[in-house]
Amino acid sequence: MQRILIKGCSILTMKTGEKPFVGDILLAGQRIARIAPSIDETADQILDGKGMLAMPGLINAHNHASMSLLRAFSDDLKLMDWLDKKMLPAEARMTKEDIYWGTMLGSAEMIASGTTAFADMYVHMDAVAEAILDSGMRASLTRGLVFLEDDGGRRMTEAMDLIDNYSGAGDGRITTMLGPHAPYTCPPEPLAKVVQLARERRIPIHIHLAETREEIENIKTKYNQTPTEYLHEIGLFQDNHVLLAHAVHLTSSDIQLLHGMKGGVSHNPVSNLKLACGIAPVTEMIANGITVGLGTDGAGSATTLDMFAEIKAATWLQKLGHGDPTVLPAEQALRMATIESAKLLGIDHEVGTLEAGKRADLILLDLNKPHLQPIHDLHALAAYSVTGADVDTTIVNGQILMRHRQLLTMSWEEVHTQSAKRAARLVEGL
Ligand SMILES: N[C@@H](CCSC[C@H]1O[C@@H](n2cnc3c(=O)[nH]cnc32)[C@H](O)[C@@H]1O)C(=O)O
Ligand SMILES: [Zn+2]
């Protein structure tokens, strides 16, 4: 079993109430073996942690990784125009190979900015899964289901094939969910069927909810309900583990409906800011016992998959929205990007904090930089000063995916060439 010893780093375990300290971390195989002020044991590889901050790898709870191919292609549009006029036509051209290289591009960015796991909803998910097996990342994968043009039969078959073929693959790095896309693309009958199937087979669900005012109006016109009421009436929150993306526009009675739900909400503040969706009621949801993690959404809208940008945006938006800088402090924002997101993916028993027995998913941040000195409060520094570019080393399941900013599981040159070529073809004439 490969043993890696990280010596003399500052450590944020993200365990509740645990103060930062300086120490050593021993990894054995896929897991964390020990964390202590000093560990004198032999190892196959010793990483010098001096001047570094170790923390759990960040977990991106809502992404469409292959949309990295559509980064900075179509911006400054309304969500529905962006989706209908730009994204869907470009996506219609995507082949399996495009999706593979798009996911590799997204993975390269995530690994390089400290993300070790993500939840993804897209198409050709077998290609996404193959990219994850190759990149070494951890992911919860979902075939997006829309039921507008047809009965969605082909999509359902693909969704179940993904679940049957890839759940647990890559030494448990891949998990799966069922992904009805959103209330406005899933009418009651097929949605109820998906919910029923998910309940019977105990499969978690990943769905977009209440992202824009247009969605609220649209669902009100169709069903005379809020999107949350619509999902509640179908029984989504009774027994299923549900990952809700966005949840920007919730009434206080919507929040009551979500109280006690299994799973929770991926808050995606950069995407919400950029598309002018609104400020999600994060503080209110947390006060009502709802788990809130953090995600980016696809790079097609967010334009970046840097979770450190989401941490900043999440806390700043709550402070601004409440006119109160004490709201959503640094440590809580970091928890949202780690252990709270892990809960949403249903993997908090394995990752999300640094502790012996958990999977070895962690990052080393290089603090030897002007914008990261001096060191007073490591939580504040990590939340407010660090950017993704400060990540020096990224480890998933005990495997080093990036060391001194060199990607080790892929050839960046190849990812660069493939993604540039394919992206150009996807957007030609659009
Ligand atoms: N369009 C696919 C199924 C959906 S996959 C996930 C979809 O989510 C879309 N998407 C990405 N970001 C957002 C968002 O913020 N809100 C709603 N949809 C999004 C994305 O363009 C992609 O089409 C099909 O016809 O089979
Ligand atoms: Zn999305």
Side-chain angles (χ1 to χ4, degrees):
M1 199 188 287
Q2 158 96 356
R3 286 155 61 94
I4 300 174
L5 182 58
I6 309 169
K7 292 287 292 176
C9 50
S10 297
I11 302 172
L12 288 183
T13 64
M14 296 317 299
K15 280 162 69 182
T16 316
E18 190 152 270
K19 297 252 180 308
F21 58 96
V22 175
D24 300 347
I25 304 173
L26 179 67
L27 313 180
Q30 300 172 5
R31 296 189 183 270
I32 299 172
R34 262 182 83 196
I35 304 177
S38 177
I39 300 176
D40 285 316
E41 289 191 43
T42 55
D44 303 289
Q45 202 174 350
I46 294 187
L47 309 185
D48 183 6
K50 195 163 177 294
M52 298 277 168
L53 171 62
M55 66 177 287
L58 305 183
I59 301 176
N60 184 341
H62 180 66
N63 198 355
H64 312 275
S66 341
M67 289 183 89
S68 295
L69 292 177
L70 302 173
R71 183 202 319 278
F73 149 61
S74 164
D75 297 271
D76 311 323
L77 292 176
K78 286 188 179 296
L79 177 85
M80 289 306 163
D81 288 340
W82 168 83
L83 204 52
D84 293 341
K85 295 182 187 154
K86 298 289 184 177
M87 292 301 125
L88 296 181
E91 287 177 348
R93 296 177 183 171
M94 282 187 188
T95 63
K96 258 189 182 173
E97 291 71 30
D98 295 331
I99 303 274
Y100 175 88
W101 289 106
T103 307
M104 288 304 263
L105 178 63
S107 298
E109 182 186 2
M110 286 189 271
I111 293 166
S113 55
T115 293
T116 51
F118 65 104
D120 202 84
M121 178 200 289
Y122 217 55
V123 298
H124 291 307
M125 294 306 290
D126 44 349
V128 175
E130 290 302 324
I132 295 312
L133 292 178
D134 292 346
S135 74
M137 289 193 76
R138 189 181 300 285
S140 171
L141 304 182
T142 306
R143 203 300 183 195
L145 300 166
V146 297
F147 298 98
L148 291 182
E149 311 104 64
D150 52 44
D151 68 353
R154 176 180 54 83
R155 294 180 175 87
M156 270 315 287
T157 307
E158 290 176 16
M160 296 317 292
D161 284 350
L162 172 78
I163 292 167
D164 293 337
N165 296 337
Y166 286 101
S167 299
D171 291 319
R173 284 188 289 112
I174 296 182
T175 51
T176 52
M177 298 195 189
L178 268 171
H181 169 261
Y184 56 92
T185 49
C186 297
E189 210 182 304
L191 182 57
K193 277 194 190 146
V194 174
V195 172
Q196 180 64 27
L197 178 67
R199 192 173 299 144
E200 279 165 17
R201 291 202 40 185
R202 310 194 68 76
I203 306 165
I205 286 184
H206 185 172
I207 187 168
H208 293 93
L209 172 68
E211 183 177 5
T212 60
R213 290 215 179 280
E214 286 87 334
E215 176 181 341
I216 308 298
E217 295 307 318
N218 175 313
I219 299 299
K220 181 141 207 94
T221 308
K222 269 195 210 158
Y223 309 119
N224 199 28
Q225 286 174 313
T226 68
T228 309
E229 287 165 353
Y230 171 66
L231 297 185
H232 181 262
E233 191 174 291
I234 279 174
L236 187 67
F237 306 120
Q238 275 167 26
D239 199 23
N240 301 81
H241 178 109
V242 186
L243 165 48
L244 298 168
H246 298 302
V248 175
H249 298 286
L250 302 186
T251 63
S252 39
S253 74
D254 285 341
I255 293 178
Q256 291 309 318
L257 291 181
L258 299 182
H259 180 83
M261 73 177 288
K262 290 188 202 160
V265 169
S266 173
H267 175 45
N268 314 306
V270 171
S271 171
N272 295 163
L273 270 162
K274 187 157 169 267
L275 289 161
C277 291
I279 304 180
V282 169
T283 311
E284 294 75 5
M285 288 190 279
I286 294 172
N288 277 274
I290 299 162
T291 299
V292 184
L294 280 183
T296 55
D297 215 338
S301 57
T303 332
T304 158
L305 303 180
D306 182 353
M307 284 287 290
F308 283 102
E310 302 293 339
I311 290 168
K312 293 182 192 71
T315 155
W316 293 340
L317 271 181
Q318 292 305 303
K319 292 177 194 315
L320 181 67
H322 288 87
D324 179 357
T326 67
V327 169
L328 195 51
E331 184 175 350
Q332 194 180 10
L334 293 172
R335 285 180 62 81
M336 287 171 68
T338 52
I339 187 66
E340 300 303 310
S341 278
K343 290 178 191 168
L344 301 181
L345 271 66
I347 54 174
D348 49 306
H349 57 297
E350 293 276 43
V351 296
T353 54
L354 297 185
E355 46 190 310
K358 279 197 169 182
R359 300 273 177 174
D361 286 22
L362 60 101
I363 57 177
L364 297 178
L365 303 167
D366 181 2
L367 301 182
N368 186 13
K369 297 185 175 187
H371 66 285
L372 301 178
Q373 294 294 325
I375 295 167
H376 293 296
D377 178 327
L378 280 167
H379 287 117
L381 197 71
Y384 300 135
S385 306
V386 167
T387 76
D390 301 318
V391 178
D392 174 83
T393 299
T394 302
I395 301 176
V396 175
N397 229 23
Q399 184 185 12
I400 305 178
L401 307 188
M402 183 176 77
R403 181 72 180 138
H404 298 325
R405 298 211 56 75
Q406 284 295 339
L407 295 170
L408 301 178
T409 50
M410 61 182 83
S411 150
W412 166 241
E413 209 172 279
E414 190 181 17
V415 174
H416 181 180
T417 312
Q418 287 283 358
S419 51
K421 179 179 80 183
R422 290 166 188 281
R425 196 192 79 249
L426 294 180
V427 304
E428 202 179 301
L430 290 181

